[in-house]
Amino acid sequence: MMYYFDGIIVVEGKSDVAYLSSFIDALYITTNGYEIPDEEIDFLKHYSKQKKVIVLTDPDDAGECIRNKLSKLEFAYIDIKVNLAKCDKNGKHGIAECDKNELLNVLKEHLSTKETAKGQLTCSDLYRYGITDNEARHNLCKKLHLGICNNKQLLKRLNYLNIKLD
């Protein structure tokens, strides 16, 4: 069964996104370990007024560092704690190693079984408006506070946030 979160989930890495997105449809932001770029923080601050933000980081030093950094910012978010004993595979601890039912249990009040409405923009729309080169994409992302995006991420963020090209 697929679950839906009408908001943004902050995780540490791509493996967390790959695992979570197999059963939770949401907009994911990765921190890539200890650091989260200023552009991504700007994105979170800007869109936390419209969407819920969940911080779901590993129970380790990097996860603690990210949670501490985000807790000093002035935007509302939910810091989810998971049971470390249920987040272990082959001696590795983290979100990607968590039991699916444990994650669903801690996230249950934020999830829905109904798909959330999203925009319908396509790659063709980006090409038609000339937003596919690095400079144009960067300028659009900066203007709309979308953080750091490649074309695929830009399209996903535009659609999840229901931003229209007009």
Side-chain angles (χ1 to χ4, degrees), residues 3-165:
Y3 293 89
Y4 301 92
F5 177 64
D6 187 24
I8 303 162
I9 299 177
V10 179
V11 295
E12 286 181 52
K14 292 178 183 179
S15 61
D16 298 327
V17 173
Y19 177 59
L20 290 169
S21 64
S22 70
F23 57 95
I24 300 172
D25 184 19
L27 180 57
Y28 294 93
I29 300 297
T30 57
T31 67
N32 298 314
Y34 284 93
E35 286 301 316
I36 182 166
D38 291 339
E39 294 89 350
E40 297 292 64
I41 290 173
D42 179 56
F43 168 74
L44 292 171
K45 286 170 81 171
H46 188 80
Y47 288 100
S48 67
K49 297 171 185 130
Q50 299 171 19
K51 301 281 188 181
K52 287 183 185 177
V53 176
I54 289 179
V55 177
L56 189 59
T57 56
D58 294 348
D60 59 10
D61 291 342
E64 185 69 25
C65 180
I66 294 300
R67 288 190 302 275
N68 286 339
K69 187 170 188 176
L70 293 179
S71 71
K72 294 174 185 163
L73 301 174
E74 294 180 18
F75 71 90
Y77 71 92
I78 304 155
D79 188 3
I80 301 294
K81 303 275 193 258
V82 293
N83 183 343
L84 185 60
K86 295 189 178 185
C87 297
D88 178 58
K89 279 188 187 166
N90 301 324
K92 189 172 180 194
H93 301 286
I95 297 304
E97 290 76 32
C98 274
D99 178 71
K100 175 181 171 181
N101 291 326
E102 171 66 14
L103 289 168
L104 290 173
N105 187 46
V106 297
L107 293 168
K108 66 184 169 197
E109 66 186 78
H110 307 290
L111 300 178
S112 170
T113 55
K114 293 182 182 178
E115 188 169 1
T116 53
K118 296 184 198 105
Q120 300 298 316
L121 298 175
T122 65
C123 286
S124 297
D125 295 320
L126 296 182
Y127 281 106
R128 186 178 23 226
Y129 289 97
I131 306 172
T132 55
D133 69 77
N134 284 339
E135 186 177 349
R137 185 178 60 246
H138 176 75
N139 290 338
L140 179 66
C141 288
K142 191 171 184 173
K143 181 178 180 178
L144 297 178
H145 304 275
L146 292 173
I148 301 169
C149 298
N150 59 28
N151 284 339
K152 185 177 177 182
Q153 291 166 323
L154 173 61
L155 196 57
K156 189 169 188 174
R157 289 183 187 187
L158 289 170
N159 282 325
Y160 266 86
L161 298 167
N162 273 321
I163 297 172
K164 310 288 187 241
L165 284 179

